[in-house]
Amino acid sequence: MKNYARPLSILLLAGMFTAFISCNNDDDEAPVQVAEKTLYEKLGGTTKVTDPRNVGQMIEKGRLSYRSVVDSTITLIVGDIVAGAPGNLGAHFAPIVGEVSSGNTTNVAVLSKNLTDFFSANTGGGATNTYSGLNMVDAHNPVTNPRMGVKSTNANYDKFIGYVGAAAGKNGVTDTALINEVVAVLESLRAPIVQAP
């Protein structure tokens, strides 16, 4: 998995410089502000499409994009846990994997919905997308969230970001700039999520 975090600072600086442009060189006119598309808009926005999981229902394309990547990420994590892959996140998701092994998929559905809600609401999904789950510190602390097995280290979080990148690729999100924006969102959450040395 290619590390997309390195060029992130360059992209952020470039984005800051291109956020505002002037329509002409006439100093008497105020510059025209060009609204940069939100990450949610870049992933499909609020355009409604048929929900492939719920025939007869519609879903926003941006939300569907997030849900698809979230679900693929969960599948990759579980696949590595089951296969015993080195460095897998089994200890973190042991409570949920244990439930799934006994046929209970309720908390996997809750995890998928919470992550989809969180990213949709916080990257420009507007009023139609809200997040009502735990704050990031409590969500990643086994004391306050019984679905979390252990606290995360930086190495665990790097592994998780790698899973998200692989899941994005599996869902057709291959544009490096777009992936870097997703990585920027994930990196902005590192401090409250990483709670172990």
Side-chain angles (χ1 to χ4, degrees), residues 68-173:
S68 299
V69 171
V70 163
D71 289 350
S72 293
T73 300
I74 292 169
T75 300
L76 289 169
I77 291 169
V78 171
D80 275 2
I81 292 169
V82 170
N88 72 62
L89 301 179
H92 300 280
F93 296 99
I96 292 176
V97 172
E99 290 173 356
V100 171
S101 296
S102 61
N104 181 356
T105 59
T106 303
N107 281 324
V108 170
V110 169
L111 176 63
S112 173
K113 181 183 181 313
N114 280 346
L115 286 170
T116 301
D117 287 348
F118 181 84
F119 287 111
S120 296
N122 289 291
T123 60
T128 58
N129 293 284
T130 59
Y131 173 72
S132 59
L134 296 171
N135 66 56
M136 289 300 99
V137 172
D138 290 343
H140 295 87
N141 184 342
V143 173
T144 52
N145 182 3
R147 293 179 315 188
M148 183 60 57
V150 296
K151 292 182 177 181
S152 293
T153 65
N154 275 308
N156 300 142
Y157 197 60
D158 289 342
K159 181 83 171 178
F160 175 75
I161 290 174
Y163 283 122
V164 173
K170 286 182 175 291
N171 285 281
V173 181

Side-chain angles (χ1 to χ4, degrees), residues 24-72:
N24 63 36
N25 291 329
D26 188 348
D27 291 334
D28 294 335
E29 292 186 32
V32 174
Q33 182 178 350
V34 174
E36 178 73 24
K37 279 187 171 183
T38 67
L39 182 53
Y40 190 81
E41 290 169 327
K42 291 175 185 177
L43 290 170
T46 58
T47 301
K48 296 274 190 158
V49 295
T50 301
D51 186 344
R53 205 185 280 167
N54 302 298
V55 179
Q57 294 184 12
M58 303 298 280
I59 186 171
E60 291 180 355
K61 285 175 87 173
R63 183 172 183 81
L64 178 58
S65 293
Y66 275 123
R67 189 181 75 194
S68 299
V69 171
V70 163
D71 289 350
S72 293

